Amino acid sequence: MSRPLSAHFLRTCVRSLRQQGPSQQHPRKFSVSRAARYDGVYKELSAMKLQKPWLQALSERNAGIINAPPPLPAGGLEPKRMKDSFHKLVLPLAKDKWLVDGYVNASGQLRLGTLFQDLDALAGVVAYKHTGPGPTTVTAAVDRISIIRPLEEFCDLELSGFVSYVGKSSMEISLEARRNGVEGEEGLILTCAFTMVALNPQTKRATPVPPLLVETPEEKAIFSKGEEYQKAKKALRDVSLAKQTPNDEESDLIHQMWMEQLQYEDPQSKLSKPENTSYMSTTTMASTSIMQPQYRNRHSFMIFGGYLLKSTMELAFCCTSAFAHSRPTFLSLDPSTFDAPVPVGSILYLTATVAYTEPYKGGSRVQVRVGSKVRDVEHGSVVETGVFNYSFFVEGDLKVMPRTYGEFVMYVDARRRAKQNELLPDTSDINAAKTRVME
């Protein structure tokens, strides 16, 4: 077995990195052509995401060095405007053909998981423009990612976002991706909202964020919409299946489906399981991986939320493909939560299951639940870290059938989510008003 690196060795490596001259910091190139690799987050966002080399961060942690946040001002935090946090960048996919390699899938279409990584990184940039560098800012939830107009051919993409609502320690970040240079709804590709939370880097507890100064009618409307959305989410959490039993309608549905699947398995019954119906247990797909430092966030020892979005999205895509025997079309990432951090060095377990299906535009909408948990290698403890809910469109009339009580609860929860999403306030007009706010 390999031995852990000693603190002395780590300090020596860090000291060596600092002493190297510019010519030694970059390895000699053995190619006459320029480098053509892109890995992970777009380079402009990656430069903002990582603050120090891994060996330096590891050495400082072993030495007990923790950067203390600056004390809060005596008069409280100074309010900031929405436009103070606004950030925009352009992915030059039309100009840089090698860059496209990181954003394309095997069928030549946009690889959404990679784009989701960039959006999470952009949400972090926006959040830090609002809070400043003192707090530790983490992704708490993805409230919604919705495709407005699918990208039919690769072009330069403009990604932008701003803080649209704040609570005591949380911020709602409204983001969009659009065709660069195409104004209005015609250029809009997707919209999304992230909830970021500020933590004290020493205590790991929530810390206040600057209040949002809203002055114009457009700003007040955007803030009000964010406040309305937060109240609606809280109301939905209060009636979740974790707190309340299924209602009468849902109980009747569970009993009806249970009786139906009993007949499928009864050799004396004339009713057999339809070919378009699959048992939920047969749809499950899982992955296991070790969390490496290359996937770390700005604060070095936890995994970047965008990497988890990419991993869960692609596992959900694989799960849906296997279920439908076809290539699905992504519709949305429904409200999903990051319940606990994923440490560097831990083992990540992802489990995807088709939780619910319903008719949709001549085919089927398939909702996939991806559960995430991590195992501490040294202590063996397992912690649930989040649940991600993806919806896809597939051709044909497909159905999923639960059999155990746990599966019935998962089915009812997914069914609720499909119906509740129709009740949540529409936040698309936040992006429509963005241009007027940022002027």
Side-chain angles (χ1 to χ4, degrees), residues 6-32:
S6 68
H8 173 73
F9 174 77
L10 291 172
R11 287 194 295 270
T12 302
C13 291
V14 172
R15 190 161 51 246
S16 174
L17 287 171
R18 291 172 175 170
Q19 293 174 350
Q20 286 177 353
S23 62
Q24 293 175 306
Q25 290 179 355
H26 303 284
R28 182 183 299 177
K29 296 180 179 180
F30 290 94
S31 173
V32 294

Side-chain angles (χ1 to χ4, degrees), residues 142-144 229 233 236-237 239-242 250 332-337 339 353-356 358 365-371 386-391 409-424:
V142 185
D143 294 329
R144 184 84 172 173
Y229 191 82
K233 288 199 302 179
L236 294 178
R237 286 196 297 268
V239 296
S240 71
L241 286 170
E250 292 164 344
S332 65
L333 169 60
D334 301 323
S336 302
T337 57
D339 297 326
T353 303
V354 175
Y356 178 70
E358 63 182 359
R365 187 205 303 264
V366 178
Q367 188 179 134
V368 178
R369 179 190 186 276
V370 183
V387 176
F388 304 84
N389 305 288
Y390 294 91
S391 291
V409 170
M410 190 185 302
Y411 182 91
V412 170
D413 180 69
R415 180 175 178 268
R416 280 188 178 186
R417 184 173 293 105
K419 296 183 179 301
Q420 289 167 351
N421 286 339
E422 301 173 359
L423 303 177
L424 289 172

Side-chain angles (χ1 to χ4, degrees), residues 263-332:
Q263 294 183 67
Y264 293 162
E265 299 174 354
D266 184 357
Q268 305 300 321
S269 172
K270 295 181 180 180
L271 185 65
S272 59
K273 183 171 69 69
E275 292 185 1
N276 68 336
T277 300
S278 300
Y279 288 126
M280 187 180 292
S281 59
T282 67
T283 70
T284 297
M285 186 172 290
S287 71
T288 306
S289 54
I290 187 77
M291 294 294 94
Q292 301 291 359
Q294 289 80 4
Y295 312 137
R296 69 191 186 277
N297 64 11
R298 177 187 177 100
H299 308 286
S300 296
F301 297 101
M302 297 299 168
I303 295 301
F304 165 52
Y307 174 79
L308 299 176
L309 280 179
K310 177 182 178 180
S311 300
T312 55
M313 161 66 186
E314 297 190 346
L315 183 62
F317 182 92
C318 293
C319 179
T320 310
S321 298
F323 169 69
H325 304 291
S326 63
R327 183 175 293 276
T329 300
F330 173 81
L331 294 176
S332 65

